[in-house]
Amino acid sequence: MANKQLNIGLVGYGFMGRAHSNAFLQAPRFFDLPYRPVLKAMCARNPDRAKAFAANWGYESIESDWRALVARPDIQLIDIASPNDTHAEIAVAAARAGKMVMCEKPLARNAVEAKHMVDAVEAAKVPNMVWYNYRRVPAVTMIKSMVDAGRLGRVFHYRAKFLQDWTISADLPQGGEGLWRLDVAVAGSGVTGDLLAHCIDTAMWLNGPITEVTAMTETFIKERKHNLSGRVEPVGIDDASAFLCRFANGSLATFEATRYARGHKALYTLEINGEHASAAWDLHDLHRLQFFDHRDEGQLRGWKSVHVTDGDHPYMKRWWVPGLQIGYEHTFTHQFADFLESLDSGSVAGPTFRDGLATDLVTDAVLRSAQTRRWEPVASA
Amino acid sequence: MANKQLNIGLVGYGFMGRAHSNAFLQAPRFFDLPYRPVLKAMCARNPDRAKAFAANWGYESIESDWRALVARPDIQLIDIASPNDTHAEIAVAAARAGKMVMCEKPLARNAVEAKHMVDAVEAAKVPNMVWYNYRRVPAVTMIKSMVDAGRLGRVFHYRAKFLQDWTISADLPQGGEGLWRLDVAVAGSGVTGDLLAHCIDTAMWLNGPITEVTAMTETFIKERKHNLSGRVEPVGIDDASAFLCRFANGSLATFEATRYARGHKALYTLEINGEHASAAWDLHDLHRLQFFDHRDEGQLRGWKSVHVTDGDHPYMKRWWVPGLQIGYEHTFTHQFADFLESLDSGSVAGPTFRDGLATDLVTDAVLRSAQTRRWEPVASA
Amino acid sequence: MANKQLNIGLVGYGFMGRAHSNAFLQAPRFFDLPYRPVLKAMCARNPDRAKAFAANWGYESIESDWRALVARPDIQLIDIASPNDTHAEIAVAAARAGKMVMCEKPLARNAVEAKHMVDAVEAAKVPNMVWYNYRRVPAVTMIKSMVDAGRLGRVFHYRAKFLQDWTISADLPQGGEGLWRLDVAVAGSGVTGDLLAHCIDTAMWLNGPITEVTAMTETFIKERKHNLSGRVEPVGIDDASAFLCRFANGSLATFEATRYARGHKALYTLEINGEHASAAWDLHDLHRLQFFDHRDEGQLRGWKSVHVTDGDHPYMKRWWVPGLQIGYEHTFTHQFADFLESLDSGSVAGPTFRDGLATDLVTDAVLRSAQTRRWEPVASA
Amino acid sequence: MANKQLNIGLVGYGFMGRAHSNAFLQAPRFFDLPYRPVLKAMCARNPDRAKAFAANWGYESIESDWRALVARPDIQLIDIASPNDTHAEIAVAAARAGKMVMCEKPLARNAVEAKHMVDAVEAAKVPNMVWYNYRRVPAVTMIKSMVDAGRLGRVFHYRAKFLQDWTISADLPQGGEGLWRLDVAVAGSGVTGDLLAHCIDTAMWLNGPITEVTAMTETFIKERKHNLSGRVEPVGIDDASAFLCRFANGSLATFEATRYARGHKALYTLEINGEHASAAWDLHDLHRLQFFDHRDEGQLRGWKSVHVTDGDHPYMKRWWVPGLQIGYEHTFTHQFADFLESLDSGSVAGPTFRDGLATDLVTDAVLRSAQTRRWEPVASA
């Protein structure tokens, strides 16, 4: 266990507050890390909530105002797990206060906000990271290493989708705790920022920049009761979003996300087709990599289902033994471990805020194209 | 075995000539049909080929000019299995000669040609059908019956793709026997007419008309040796084609086809997501239907893999016993059996030429959108 | 199309009569064969049935007594597709009359009967074959070639099962048409002879002789109405049968068959585990081979799902194009094509009657062990 | 977070020491528990190892002799995660000292040892549990609830196997750290106690007592270098083990375990077939339940793949959101949470030591049958 400690202040106690806290606690048990994370403080407006959360996860103290948290000299890292509309303000303040900043995805509600955040962390020269956790699914990390090793050759196609079905009921309200993702003022957008953003981050990591998009979006349920106002209000988010695009490397792609695909809970799937090999993965069986290599002997060519649980698979020697799968939350643990290691090594562990901005520039272009009904170029981050 | 006979004249001896001939022979063995098909004549320019083909499949005679075939009074049905550039001329002549006409898909190289064919068969009032065989995969037929029974409720999404990888090599020539699908003058288009057309026919059968599309296409290998000229020539077909679209019922869709998806041989997949249920199918395991019903009890909700081989599944009581799967060619047998039954019952067995025109109108819009880079409306057939 | 013709006389019009007849008709359409099969006569006790069957499948004549069929000088091959209790008598008479004999599996109700049949065909030196059709599933044939090429190395394990669920209802009667498989006097045994026999034939073909077995059987429903007597009678067949065994090569195996495995229609699965590689296959997706090769690079080791539809896969260049699957009945077509080729080449196409006897010797040992509750040695054929 | 604390003393720092410690730490973060576990002490002979392990996992102190640990008045629960040959002595002493005892499986090297342990904990009336963790895989827990609710009806068949391939190399030594499972003196047996024991515990939990077995075992590699002696020594364990059995409820079963099934890492699969429904599960995709219900409407009957990640699935509301899978170690967390809850509620959380003895009685019968080559009855626990 490392002697150097790293003091963390967390903002937010929801789904992501739990996932991040678990990573802070699990990373040092399973990885040899240069820093010992200390859960110094958690911040939430509601002090009872904050207290209960802190007690459960072992945070030493609580704050009810994020400004107070950011001002504390005993905190070195601010982790933002609160709703999207709070990201920019907190991150900019934290950077200015010289704190490292980790921020839940999407980086911001739009690229303008995100740009301020990038400017702030780069000006302050503080380590920064966005929690696009799926890069650290071992099977996805393996695809990256196969791409980098040239195993796929020239890439022709990429396709990704993220399908859910949890908002089909017209009785579901929007806004407030647990449902802010349906409130456009808070979330910035619907599935484009929530789900497509994941697909886009992985895609650009694996396959490089996207240059232009044509998109369509739809809001199937036009009005929902708002939990904060108590009134039926128009729904401002996109329930579904799909786009075609071209990558700088000449490959073509299709992307789709929706919360209206009956039967799918969180089906993020991706596939990349290269001249020599193809790879595919899906979140519903996250411990499996599908790989096809055209250079295999002809008669036995086929898609291999690789059970990514061996000691020579990314991250896996830290866990159990071959055949024993890990789960969703491990990806956060991996990401946090990589972040701590990068602090010591001086390397940069992505996705950085700049990477997060790049994704926001694509989602902005997608939303814009859905309005203009034209191909829209994607600005570079 | 029926007493009434139906005399068939076939044009073309390639892959589809074989598939159709097999259907003509197998249908009466497995189905109770009102007509006994008689393989009266086969027509091909090369008489040796025609003779060999006729001997193999039991055609009673051969012709080397389709005009002679169409003129024969002993032929009642002209079946067109020759390359796309021949469809319109033969079909129009056959209809004018009062023959029933069956035509391999796509109906024509474009909607203009297809319109002439529709006009001809409708003016002549002759039975007509396009060989979009995948409607008669029992699992696909079941999806149709589920949709028609209202099991899916309001449809939100449709997605289909048709992935192949057989033209990735730059050494593959274009044109001539077996390779006319790469020759734009003969084929009319690349994967749009060859593969997307299948996806579109099934989609509109299941989900109604498509109203508008935005598309992109790509030709990855720009030049190939042409087998007829012997020279390296520009490639005029689309190697890959993808589009977003909206259906008249308000649902959204993504479509993609390519011959550059390494690892996929003929992976036609489709999925339809409704309010209450979803269904999915793929050609690589064509005997399986994937079905999810939200009205199942909560704890046991899941995608069911239905092995479509029972006596109460469409067409299946004609074949073997539960658990024993059928193959690709059976879909042609089913289609031909339905055609013969429709002759007797006076019903119409689709897809008719008009249905084929509807698909060509979509593929035309797709190709047009890829040029204009705009959303293109789809004309109705 | 070959000039030499081979005249066939078929006995039996049930499920297997159809499957065999289809093979006789399809084989010459898809394979280059040295003989042209002629469907000369079909034989069934009920002349209306015989007539209808002959009309449907194109048999030139009918017989109502198999002795008359066997006596006909214009018949060269007797094919036995009638219930198990008729196999021995017909086959012996056919062999003595100098006919080639093909016989549906199991060869006989027990090894004593089977031995007479082997003696008869070997004394008469007539070509003979048992319709263990699953050897000719292309994926299974591929496993054989991998084993023969030494790809698996030393074999440690074999496991097979054949699961059905069609006799669970206590209301199902036994005996008579379609249900003679439940009548021990006709069938000889239950799932041991009907289903395990398939598993054993494939297993010994792939992995060599079985030396000893320990088994258990069960009859879950003890009495059923008998269709012939009209009375409730004891059920004499085994509803379920399982055994452990050792092969001569030192490997261990488990085998199981049942008609009481709810949810499985005809799930024949097999797997063989060798030092270097393993292979698996199942009948519900018969066009797929599962293959694992330990000599693949470590990080990408996994089970490959090979879609056995390429031109370089066994038998497949005769059918369609890559990605398009064949069905159950094609295995009979392959077997018959191999039989005809062997006639010309002078080679022996298995499984011969002697191979069929070998399987009956194992099933006899299984049934004996279930009685004695001891390990029973398996006699060699 | 509970106020009552429960002080734990752990023996063993291997794979299972880690899995148990993780459960102690994670359970209170995710479950509302009546006790707060305190990692009071860890015990290992090597003090450096003990110190490092304690530092990593947060144990407050170390001991190098388990007798000292058992004697400590500040410890309430002794958890045994050391090799099999130490279980009995430690457990008996812990029980006599009035400690609760949790013990890694198998309970002991044989039923004689296990009986002493049962006698000790029952005499001392101390809570006790064996870490057969797979009962707490949510999908497996669901099968139990379906069986208990009568959803399956009369059970006809059970089948389970546990396949690995990690000992195929003849160069692998036996004995010592990480390899004591190959040393019969320490392990008691090979795959029978290590892998079949898991299968048997689940099977009897789901399907009741096993009454008799017939078995075979094999040691493929007869000699291996022993890490402790440095000499090549005979291998005393079984490399592979399979048995047939009957349950008290009249159902039949096949069981198999091996470390020589190339391509399988830890493939524990189970299936239970009832009159009305069947269920299946495998460890390589532990978050999925396969369920077939014959009472589903006929045309849509099929095996459902249930992604067991919803809030109404066992244990799952404690984790993330639908679609996000858990991993292997969560099963230990579930088991420990259930244990703590049972302390408060006064109920008994199985598997108890008596349940563990029942499994050892089956494994003893299996090993005995492999020697006697007879069916062996299973004594009741």
Side-chain angles (χ1 to χ4, degrees):
Chain A
M1 184 71 66
N3 284 322
K4 291 184 287 184
Q5 70 179 57
L6 185 103
N7 294 343
I8 302 172
L10 167 75
V11 185
Y13 55 78
F15 173 19
M16 283 302 128
R18 296 173 71 228
H20 298 188
S21 297
N22 183 68
F24 302 151
L25 290 170
Q26 292 290 78
R29 310 282 183 216
F30 291 91
F31 289 78
D32 284 328
L33 298 174
Y35 293 89
R36 183 161 53 85
V38 177
L39 284 63
K40 211 66 190 177
M42 96 75 52
C43 172
R45 261 175 287 186
N46 179 322
D48 290 342
R49 292 280 194 140
K51 202 175 288 181
F53 189 94
N56 193 72
W57 293 97
Y59 285 89
E60 298 177 3
S61 61
I62 63 170
E63 297 289 346
S64 60
D65 182 340
W66 63 261
R67 286 170 192 82
L69 186 78
V70 165
R72 278 175 59 162
D74 63 340
I75 304 277
Q76 292 155 276
L77 166 65
I78 297 291
D79 180 45
I80 305 169
S82 44
N84 300 353
D85 60 336
T86 67
H87 291 189
E89 199 176 12
I90 301 174
V92 169
R96 288 183 184 158
K99 313 296 192 197
M100 307 175 195
V101 197
M102 299 189 79
C103 185
E104 184 48 38
K105 50 63 54 183
L107 184 55
R109 286 177 295 184
N110 52 58
V112 172
E113 284 187 352
K115 184 63 168 56
H116 291 149
M117 298 165 79
V118 170
D119 290 345
V121 295
E122 295 190 350
K125 294 189 167 40
V126 292
N128 55 90
M129 198 181 226
V130 190
W131 286 100
Y132 282 112
N133 60 303
Y134 295 123
R135 291 191 185 189
R136 264 77 177 195
V137 173
V140 176
T141 311
M142 276 184 71
I143 298 177
K144 173 65 170 166
S145 71
M146 295 298 147
V147 169
D148 288 351
R151 292 288 294 263
L152 275 67
R154 179 181 172 189
V155 174
F156 296 118
H157 292 288
Y158 193 96
R159 63 187 70 81
K161 54 184 190 293
F162 205 135
L163 307 182
Q164 301 186 331
D165 68 358
W166 63 282
T167 67
I168 290 179
S169 168
D171 298 334
L172 191 76
Q174 60 175 314
E177 195 166 330
L179 291 170
W180 61 261
R181 282 178 178 80
L182 278 77
D183 182 346
V184 73
V186 176
S189 69
V191 298
T192 302
D194 187 28
L195 306 181
L196 277 182
H198 271 304
C199 301
I200 294 163
D201 176 71
T202 321
M204 293 200 296
W205 186 53
L206 295 176
N207 200 38
I210 291 170
T211 56
E212 57 171 0
V213 305
T214 182
M216 69 179 167
T217 60
E218 183 61 83
T219 304
F220 290 113
I221 310 286
K222 309 291 187 195
E223 298 187 319
R224 292 181 184 276
K225 195 187 140 196
H226 200 295
N227 274 329
L228 302 184
S229 71
R231 284 192 308 271
V232 172
E233 296 187 9
V235 173
I237 61 156
D238 43 299
D239 288 337
S241 180
F243 68 96
L244 309 178
C245 73
R246 291 176 186 271
F247 283 80
N249 67 4
S251 60
L252 275 59
T254 64
F255 286 83
E256 183 189 7
T258 181
R259 294 180 186 138
Y260 285 72
R262 185 57 85 194
H264 300 301
K265 298 171 184 178
L267 187 68
Y268 172 15
T269 72
L270 66 85
E271 179 170 338
I272 181 166
N273 302 133
E275 186 179 1
H276 305 308
S278 288
W281 168 83
D282 84 74
L283 179 55
H284 277 196
D285 297 288
L286 68 82
H287 57 295
R288 288 187 177 274
L289 166 67
Q290 307 293 327
F291 198 80
F292 179 94
D293 196 327
H294 186 63
R295 288 179 285 205
D296 284 349
E297 60 183 302
Q299 228 189 2
L300 284 173
R301 271 185 211 129
W303 282 82
K304 253 191 258 182
S305 182
V306 183
H307 202 267
V308 185
T309 56
D310 287 351
D312 61 353
H313 290 143
Y315 305 106
M316 291 307 297
K317 75 164 179 276
R318 299 300 185 162
W319 298 103
W320 312 107
V321 299
L324 301 181
Q325 76 194 55
I326 58 168
Y328 165 74
E329 74 266 30
H330 299 67
T331 58
F332 293 87
T333 303
H334 300 164
Q335 183 160 357
F336 186 61
D338 283 350
F339 180 77
L340 292 187
E341 280 166 15
S342 76
L343 296 182
D344 207 47
S345 69
S347 65
V348 171
T352 61
F353 275 24
R354 186 161 286 275
D355 296 326
L357 167 60
T359 289
D360 284 357
L361 286 164
V362 179
T363 53
D364 276 13
V366 165
L367 294 167
R368 203 163 58 238
S369 170
Q371 292 298 319
T372 62
R373 293 168 55 86
R374 292 170 188 277
W375 282 86
E376 293 285 344
V378 177
S380 48
Chain B
M1 185 71 67
N3 283 323
K4 292 183 286 185
Q5 70 180 58
L6 185 102
N7 295 343
I8 303 172
L10 167 76
V11 186
Y13 55 78
F15 173 18
M16 282 303 128
R18 296 173 72 229
H20 298 188
S21 297
N22 183 67
F24 302 151
L25 291 169
Q26 291 290 77
R29 310 280 183 219
F30 290 91
F31 289 79
D32 282 330
L33 298 174
Y35 291 89
R36 184 159 53 84
V38 177
L39 283 64
K40 211 67 192 176
M42 96 76 53
C43 171
R45 260 173 292 188
N46 178 323
D48 290 343
R49 292 281 196 141
K51 201 176 289 182
F53 189 95
N56 192 72
W57 293 97
Y59 285 88
E60 298 177 1
S61 61
I62 63 169
E63 297 289 346
S64 60
D65 183 340
W66 62 260
R67 287 169 193 82
L69 185 79
V70 165
R72 278 174 59 162
D74 62 341
I75 303 276
Q76 292 154 277
L77 166 65
I78 297 292
D79 179 46
I80 305 169
S82 44
N84 300 352
D85 60 337
T86 66
H87 291 187
E89 199 176 13
I90 301 174
V92 169
R96 287 182 184 160
K99 313 297 192 195
M100 307 175 195
V101 197
M102 299 189 80
C103 185
E104 184 49 37
K105 50 63 54 182
L107 184 55
R109 286 177 296 184
N110 52 58
V112 171
E113 284 186 352
K115 185 64 166 56
H116 291 150
M117 298 165 78
V118 171
D119 290 346
V121 295
E122 295 189 351
K125 293 189 168 41
V126 293
N128 55 90
M129 199 182 225
V130 191
W131 287 98
Y132 282 111
N133 59 304
Y134 296 123
R135 292 191 185 189
R136 265 76 178 196
V137 173
V140 176
T141 311
M142 274 182 73
I143 297 177
K144 173 66 170 165
S145 71
M146 295 297 147
V147 169
D148 287 352
R151 292 287 294 264
L152 275 66
R154 179 181 171 189
V155 174
F156 296 118
H157 292 288
Y158 194 96
R159 63 188 70 83
K161 52 184 191 292
F162 205 134
L163 307 182
Q164 301 186 330
D165 69 357
W166 65 281
T167 67
I168 291 180
S169 167
D171 297 335
L172 191 76
Q174 60 176 314
E177 196 166 331
L179 291 170
W180 60 262
R181 283 177 179 80
L182 279 77
D183 182 346
V184 73
V186 176
S189 69
V191 297
T192 302
D194 187 28
L195 306 181
L196 278 181
H198 271 303
C199 301
I200 293 163
D201 175 72
T202 320
M204 294 199 295
W205 186 53
L206 295 176
N207 199 38
I210 290 170
T211 55
E212 57 172 359
V213 304
T214 183
M216 69 178 168
T217 60
E218 183 62 81
T219 304
F220 291 113
I221 309 288
K222 309 292 187 194
E223 298 188 317
R224 292 181 183 276
K225 195 188 141 196
H226 200 294
N227 273 330
L228 302 185
S229 71
R231 283 191 308 270
V232 172
E233 295 187 8
V235 173
I237 61 155
D238 43 300
D239 288 337
S241 180
F243 69 95
L244 309 178
C245 73
R246 291 176 186 271
F247 283 80
N249 67 5
S251 60
L252 274 59
T254 63
F255 286 82
E256 182 189 7
T258 181
R259 294 180 185 138
Y260 285 71
R262 185 57 84 195
H264 300 300
K265 298 171 183 179
L267 187 68
Y268 172 14
T269 73
L270 66 85
E271 178 170 339
I272 181 166
N273 301 133
E275 187 178 0
H276 304 308
S278 288
W281 168 82
D282 84 74
L283 178 55
H284 277 195
D285 297 288
L286 68 82
H287 57 296
R288 288 187 178 273
L289 167 67
Q290 307 293 326
F291 198 80
F292 179 94
D293 196 327
H294 186 63
R295 287 180 285 205
D296 284 350
E297 58 182 305
Q299 227 189 4
L300 284 174
R301 272 185 211 129
W303 282 82
K304 252 189 260 183
S305 182
V306 183
H307 202 266
V308 185
T309 56
D310 287 352
D312 61 353
H313 289 144
Y315 305 106
M316 292 307 297
K317 73 165 181 275
R318 299 301 184 161
W319 299 102
W320 312 105
V321 299
L324 301 181
Q325 77 195 53
I326 57 170
Y328 164 75
E329 73 266 30
H330 299 67
T331 59
F332 292 88
T333 303
H334 300 164
Q335 183 160 356
F336 186 61
D338 284 349
F339 180 78
L340 292 187
E341 280 166 16
S342 76
L343 296 182
D344 208 47
S345 68
S347 64
V348 171
T352 61
F353 275 23
R354 187 161 286 275
D355 297 324
L357 168 61
T359 288
D360 284 357
L361 286 164
V362 179
T363 53
D364 276 13
V366 164
L367 294 167
R368 202 164 57 239
S369 171
Q371 294 298 319
T372 63
R373 293 170 53 87
R374 294 168 187 276
W375 281 86
E376 293 286 343
V378 177
S380 48
Chain C
M1 184 72 66
N3 284 322
K4 292 184 286 184
Q5 70 179 57
L6 185 103
N7 294 344
I8 302 173
L10 167 75
V11 186
Y13 55 78
F15 174 18
M16 283 303 127
R18 296 173 72 227
H20 298 188
S21 298
N22 184 68
F24 301 151
L25 291 170
Q26 292 290 80
R29 311 279 184 220
F30 291 91
F31 289 78
D32 283 328
L33 298 173
Y35 292 89
R36 185 161 52 84
V38 177
L39 284 63
K40 212 66 191 177
M42 94 78 51
C43 171
R45 260 174 290 187
N46 179 323
D48 289 343
R49 293 279 195 142
K51 201 175 288 181
F53 189 95
N56 193 72
W57 293 97
Y59 285 88
E60 298 177 3
S61 61
I62 63 170
E63 297 289 346
S64 59
D65 183 340
W66 62 261
R67 286 170 193 83
L69 186 79
V70 165
R72 277 174 60 160
D74 62 341
I75 304 276
Q76 293 154 278
L77 166 66
I78 297 291
D79 179 45
I80 305 170
S82 43
N84 299 352
D85 60 337
T86 67
H87 291 188
E89 199 176 11
I90 301 174
V92 169
R96 288 184 183 157
K99 312 297 192 196
M100 307 175 195
V101 197
M102 299 190 79
C103 184
E104 184 50 36
K105 51 62 56 183
L107 184 55
R109 286 178 295 184
N110 52 57
V112 172
E113 284 186 352
K115 184 65 167 55
H116 291 149
M117 298 165 78
V118 170
D119 290 346
V121 295
E122 294 190 351
K125 293 188 169 40
V126 292
N128 56 89
M129 198 181 226
V130 191
W131 286 99
Y132 281 111
N133 59 304
Y134 295 123
R135 291 192 186 189
R136 264 77 178 196
V137 173
V140 176
T141 311
M142 275 183 72
I143 297 177
K144 173 66 169 165
S145 71
M146 294 298 147
V147 169
D148 287 352
R151 291 288 294 264
L152 274 67
R154 178 180 172 189
V155 174
F156 297 118
H157 291 289
Y158 194 96
R159 63 187 70 83
K161 53 184 191 293
F162 205 134
L163 308 182
Q164 299 186 331
D165 69 357
W166 64 282
T167 66
I168 290 180
S169 168
D171 299 334
L172 191 77
Q174 60 176 315
E177 195 166 332
L179 291 169
W180 61 262
R181 283 177 178 80
L182 279 77
D183 182 347
V184 72
V186 176
S189 69
V191 297
T192 303
D194 188 27
L195 306 181
L196 277 181
H198 271 304
C199 301
I200 293 163
D201 175 71
T202 320
M204 294 199 294
W205 186 53
L206 294 175
N207 199 38
I210 290 170
T211 55
E212 57 171 1
V213 305
T214 182
M216 69 179 168
T217 60
E218 183 61 81
T219 304
F220 289 114
I221 310 285
K222 309 292 187 194
E223 298 188 318
R224 292 181 183 276
K225 195 187 140 194
H226 199 295
N227 274 329
L228 302 185
S229 70
R231 285 192 307 270
V232 172
E233 296 187 8
V235 173
I237 60 156
D238 43 299
D239 288 338
S241 180
F243 69 96
L244 309 179
C245 72
R246 291 176 186 271
F247 283 80
N249 66 5
S251 59
L252 275 59
T254 64
F255 286 82
E256 182 189 7
T258 180
R259 293 180 186 138
Y260 284 72
R262 186 57 85 194
H264 299 301
K265 298 171 184 178
L267 187 68
Y268 172 14
T269 72
L270 66 86
E271 178 169 339
I272 180 167
N273 301 134
E275 186 178 0
H276 304 308
S278 289
W281 168 84
D282 83 75
L283 179 55
H284 277 196
D285 296 288
L286 68 81
H287 57 295
R288 287 186 178 273
L289 166 68
Q290 307 293 326
F291 199 80
F292 179 94
D293 196 327
H294 186 63
R295 288 179 284 206
D296 283 350
E297 61 182 301
Q299 227 189 3
L300 284 174
R301 272 185 211 130
W303 283 82
K304 253 190 259 182
S305 182
V306 183
H307 202 267
V308 185
T309 55
D310 287 352
D312 61 354
H313 290 143
Y315 304 106
M316 291 308 297
K317 73 164 180 275
R318 298 301 184 161
W319 298 104
W320 311 107
V321 299
L324 302 181
Q325 75 194 56
I326 57 169
Y328 164 75
E329 75 264 31
H330 299 67
T331 58
F332 293 87
T333 303
H334 299 164
Q335 182 160 356
F336 186 62
D338 284 348
F339 180 78
L340 292 186
E341 279 166 17
S342 76
L343 296 183
D344 208 47
S345 69
S347 64
V348 172
T352 61
F353 275 24
R354 187 161 286 276
D355 296 325
L357 167 60
T359 289
D360 284 356
L361 286 164
V362 179
T363 53
D364 276 12
V366 165
L367 294 168
R368 203 163 57 237
S369 170
Q371 293 298 320
T372 62
R373 293 169 55 85
R374 293 169 187 277
W375 281 87
E376 294 285 342
V378 177
S380 49
Chain D
M1 185 71 67
N3 284 323
K4 291 183 287 184
Q5 69 180 58
L6 185 103
N7 294 344
I8 302 172
L10 167 76
V11 186
Y13 55 78
F15 174 18
M16 282 303 127
R18 296 173 72 228
H20 298 187
S21 298
N22 183 68
F24 302 151
L25 291 169
Q26 291 291 77
R29 310 280 183 219
F30 291 91
F31 289 78
D32 283 329
L33 298 174
Y35 292 89
R36 184 160 53 84
V38 177
L39 284 63
K40 211 66 191 175
M42 95 76 53
C43 172
R45 260 173 289 186
N46 179 322
D48 290 344
R49 291 280 196 142
K51 203 176 287 182
F53 189 94
N56 193 72
W57 293 96
Y59 285 88
E60 297 177 3
S61 61
I62 62 169
E63 298 289 345
S64 60
D65 183 340
W66 62 262
R67 287 169 193 84
L69 186 79
V70 165
R72 277 175 60 162
D74 63 340
I75 303 277
Q76 293 154 277
L77 167 65
I78 296 293
D79 180 46
I80 305 169
S82 43
N84 300 353
D85 59 337
T86 66
H87 290 188
E89 198 176 14
I90 301 174
V92 169
R96 288 181 184 160
K99 313 297 191 195
M100 307 176 194
V101 196
M102 300 189 78
C103 185
E104 184 49 36
K105 49 62 56 181
L107 184 55
R109 285 177 296 183
N110 53 58
V112 171
E113 284 186 350
K115 185 64 167 53
H116 291 150
M117 299 166 78
V118 170
D119 290 345
V121 296
E122 295 190 350
K125 293 191 169 39
V126 292
N128 56 89
M129 198 181 225
V130 191
W131 286 99
Y132 282 111
N133 60 304
Y134 295 123
R135 292 191 185 188
R136 265 78 178 194
V137 173
V140 175
T141 310
M142 276 182 71
I143 298 177
K144 173 66 170 166
S145 70
M146 295 297 148
V147 169
D148 287 352
R151 291 288 293 265
L152 275 66
R154 178 181 172 190
V155 174
F156 296 118
H157 291 289
Y158 193 95
R159 62 188 70 82
K161 54 184 192 290
F162 205 134
L163 308 182
Q164 301 186 330
D165 70 356
W166 64 282
T167 66
I168 291 180
S169 168
D171 298 335
L172 192 75
Q174 60 175 315
E177 197 166 329
L179 291 170
W180 61 262
R181 283 178 178 80
L182 280 77
D183 182 346
V184 73
V186 177
S189 69
V191 298
T192 302
D194 187 29
L195 305 180
L196 277 182
H198 271 304
C199 301
I200 293 164
D201 175 71
T202 320
M204 293 199 295
W205 186 53
L206 295 175
N207 200 37
I210 290 171
T211 55
E212 56 171 0
V213 304
T214 182
M216 69 178 166
T217 60
E218 183 62 82
T219 304
F220 291 113
I221 310 287
K222 309 291 187 194
E223 298 187 320
R224 291 181 184 277
K225 195 187 140 196
H226 200 294
N227 274 329
L228 302 185
S229 71
R231 284 193 307 270
V232 173
E233 296 187 8
V235 173
I237 60 155
D238 43 300
D239 288 338
S241 180
F243 69 96
L244 310 178
C245 73
R246 291 176 186 270
F247 283 80
N249 67 4
S251 60
L252 276 58
T254 64
F255 286 83
E256 182 189 8
T258 180
R259 294 182 185 135
Y260 285 72
R262 185 58 85 194
H264 300 300
K265 298 172 184 178
L267 187 68
Y268 172 15
T269 73
L270 66 87
E271 178 169 338
I272 180 166
N273 301 133
E275 186 178 0
H276 304 308
S278 289
W281 169 83
D282 84 74
L283 179 55
H284 277 196
D285 297 287
L286 66 83
H287 58 296
R288 287 187 178 273
L289 167 67
Q290 306 293 327
F291 198 80
F292 179 95
D293 196 327
H294 186 63
R295 289 180 284 206
D296 284 351
E297 59 183 303
Q299 226 188 5
L300 283 173
R301 272 185 212 129
W303 283 82
K304 253 190 258 184
S305 182
V306 183
H307 201 267
V308 186
T309 56
D310 287 352
D312 61 354
H313 290 142
Y315 305 105
M316 291 308 296
K317 74 166 180 276
R318 299 299 184 160
W319 298 103
W320 312 106
V321 299
L324 301 181
Q325 75 195 56
I326 57 169
Y328 165 74
E329 74 267 29
H330 299 67
T331 59
F332 293 88
T333 303
H334 299 164
Q335 183 160 356
F336 187 62
D338 283 350
F339 180 78
L340 292 187
E341 281 167 13
S342 76
L343 296 183
D344 208 46
S345 68
S347 64
V348 171
T352 62
F353 274 24
R354 186 161 285 276
D355 296 326
L357 168 60
T359 289
D360 284 357
L361 286 164
V362 179
T363 53
D364 276 12
V366 165
L367 294 168
R368 202 164 57 238
S369 170
Q371 293 299 320
T372 63
R373 293 168 56 86
R374 293 171 187 275
W375 281 86
E376 293 285 343
V378 177
S380 48

